[in-house]
Amino acid sequence: MTNKRDYYEVLGVSKSASADELKKAYRNLARKHHPDIDKSEGAEAKFKEINEAYQVLSDPQKKGAYDQYGHSAFEPGAGAGPGGFGGGGYQTYSWSSGNGQGGFQDPFDIFEMFFGGRSPYGKQARLPRYVIDLSFEEAVHGTQKTVRIEDNDQTIKIPAGVDNGSEIAFNDFVIVTQVASSSKFSRRGYDIVSEHYVTFSQAALGTVAEIETVDGRVKIRIPAGTQPGTQIRLRGKGVKHLNGHGAGDHYAIIRLDVPKHLSKEQKQLLEELEKFS
């Protein structure tokens, strides 16, 4: 006896839902509960449940069996015997691609469609791959490139937010990005990290500094008493997300600029300060 939830309940649709309604419900739920987005406990199991429900209800043959026999339609031995489901034994089902009734051509296309990633079992895994070199700025902001593939010039659009090793699927091939490093920034996922040097007096007394981000220069306030290694966070000043919603943050790491050579007066001032510390 199965303990699975009703597939219609899983997708939040009625039994009379059309193929378009099923697909819309599935897409919304898949976006919401994909493990890369939903970090709550049980998100992965819920995502699998959503996919299982859609695989059945989007296939007319499977849907018909499910409507008649429920989950038992897909269990070994279900309806066996004369007059039972499947005739003299149980019937198994496999994904039928390209049925024209709302199913995807490949059951793993949903990963590529929504998340830009590559399913290890989908059609994208079978496409030839070509590496393209990008500057750090081109990867962050996106760009358009003309490349030569199999003796043909192809103009391709690189979306903002790709990283080193990102894969972009086109009809007949996959582009793998190779991103150069930057002398100004480093990257942690969608976050940007830079270093900003201040003098001892600026760190002790506080100051307003202008720093460079991937979207231009901005002013930040460095509080009095800031310690070396402090990270100042600038929300939304990082790399744009590939799905187009939001952006990462920029972290400015405060470093202390210690002069290598001091004048006689500077040394005297520091010695006086040391007496009071």
Side-chain angles (χ1 to χ4, degrees), residues 181-204:
S181 59
S182 168
S183 60
K184 302 175 184 177
F185 309 113
S186 59
R187 184 169 168 176
R188 297 189 304 218
Y190 288 111
D191 294 335
I192 292 291
V193 180
S194 67
E195 294 182 330
H196 181 75
Y197 284 83
V198 296
T199 64
F200 175 81
S201 59
Q202 288 173 332

Side-chain angles (χ1 to χ4, degrees), residues 228-248:
T230 297
Q231 296 188 35
I232 297 178
R233 180 183 184 185
L234 287 74
R235 292 182 180 272
K237 292 297 183 179
V239 183
K240 293 179 181 178
H241 292 167
L242 273 171
N243 60 15
H245 300 292

Side-chain angles (χ1 to χ4, degrees), residues 9 62 88 91 106 113 130 138 149 154 167 184 204 211 218 224 233 251 263:
E9 179 185 341
K62 291 182 182 181
Q91 184 170 350
D106 187 301
M113 181 179 298
Y130 302 94
E138 287 174 330
I149 295 177
Q154 304 263 7
E167 296 187 356
K184 302 175 184 177
I211 68 167
V218 298
R233 180 183 184 185
Y251 290 88
S263 67

Side-chain angles (χ1 to χ4, degrees), residues 145-215:
K145 294 270 190 179
T146 299
V147 296
R148 192 163 187 80
I149 295 177
E150 296 181 356
D151 296 327
N152 293 314
D153 288 335
Q154 304 263 7
T155 300
I156 60 174
K157 183 177 180 181
I158 306 295
V162 297
D163 205 349
N164 199 46
S166 294
E167 296 187 356
I168 308 166
F170 295 88
N171 288 334
D172 302 315
F173 57 91
V174 174
I175 290 293
V176 182
T177 58
Q178 185 169 282
V179 182
S181 59
S182 168
S183 60
K184 302 175 184 177
F185 309 113
S186 59
R187 184 169 168 176
R188 297 189 304 218
Y190 288 111
D191 294 335
I192 292 291
V193 180
S194 67
E195 294 182 330
H196 181 75
Y197 284 83
V198 296
T199 64
F200 175 81
S201 59
Q202 288 173 332
L205 300 174
T207 186
V208 174
E210 188 175 69
I211 68 167
E212 189 170 354
T213 72
V214 293
D215 289 323

